Amino acid sequence: MLQKPIPLFLSSCFFALVSAQTPTHRNVSIDDQSPLIDYVPRTSWSLTDAGDWDAGEGRAHMVTNDADAYATFRFIGVAFYYYSALWPYRVGTGIRVDGGPVTVIDQQDHDSAPTAENQGPSVRAQVLSSVTGLSNSEHTIQILPPPGYGVAVVDFFM
Ligand SMILES: *[C@@H]1O[C@H](CO)[C@@H](O)[C@H](O)[C@H]1NC(C)=O
């Protein structure tokens, strides 16, 4: 049987389709005031004054000291990065991925001598926790005061 050659036009279309489907990952910045972050209850969370320690456009972060409060962020993607400053005293925020166990993100600057707890940060915001290798589907991140700490911080996500 005689095979018709595939017209060049069709084969280049096919190539374009295949390359468009190649997964390419890019980082998306989510600052603390993003409407994609749900603060529950909203009244338990407050926005700090702007300072050079925090990440994002706003240069501030959200904080709660309500043990029952939490923040929820849903996204479709393969990785999640949590950014925050460090403080020269004991600070820790809880993170729960897809309803799993709560892990504590240590936000204490262990290189500085401990100060009173009303002092500002001592290290600029950086990646303190990363969740990688997720399936490319919807994931839910919950940020909450972990047991034994009493605060939770939301500054910047990637
Ligand atoms: C996204 O940002 C994280 C944290 O800074 C970095 O490790 C990662 O390589 C970045 N990924 C891409 C695709 O740019």
Side-chain angles (χ1 to χ4, degrees):
M1 211 169 95
L2 192 68
Q3 286 248 263
K4 269 200 200 164
I6 301 170
L8 185 62
F9 163 75
L10 264 185
S11 55
S12 60
C13 271
F14 177 71
F15 177 74
L17 200 69
V18 168
S19 25
Q21 283 174 342
T22 304
T24 50
H25 303 144
R26 76 192 164 89
N27 276 329
V28 178
S29 301
I30 306 288
D31 206 354
D32 47 65
Q33 296 305 292
S34 167
L36 300 176
I37 305 174
D38 202 11
Y39 293 100
V40 185
R42 181 62 187 79
T43 49
S44 288
W45 289 86
S46 46
L47 182 65
T48 62
D49 291 337
D52 283 341
W53 302 101
D54 293 320
E57 301 258 312
R59 295 262 164 233
H61 62 266
M62 292 289 271
V63 64
T64 185
N65 48 28
D66 173 356
D68 296 325
Y70 58 90
T72 302
F73 172 63
R74 288 192 179 82
F75 70 100
I76 293 175
V78 296
F80 173 83
Y81 302 90
Y82 174 99
Y83 284 71
S84 161
L86 295 175
W87 284 263
Y89 46 86
R90 191 168 179 268
V91 181
T93 289
I95 179 172
R96 189 202 294 272
V97 181
D98 293 333
V102 177
T103 310
V104 179
I105 301 168
D106 183 9
Q107 288 160 296
Q108 179 168 355
D109 167 14
H110 295 280
D111 294 331
S112 284
T115 65
E117 300 209 351
N118 56 0
Q119 303 295 304
S122 49
V123 176
R124 214 174 263 271
Q126 54 186 275
V127 177
L128 294 187
S129 177
S130 54
V131 182
T132 57
L134 297 170
S135 61
N136 193 11
S137 55
E138 189 179 71
H139 300 283
T140 304
I141 302 289
Q142 202 180 22
I143 300 293
L144 66 169
Y149 281 82
V151 295
V153 170
V154 171
D155 180 10
F156 185 83
F157 302 153
M158 190 91 95

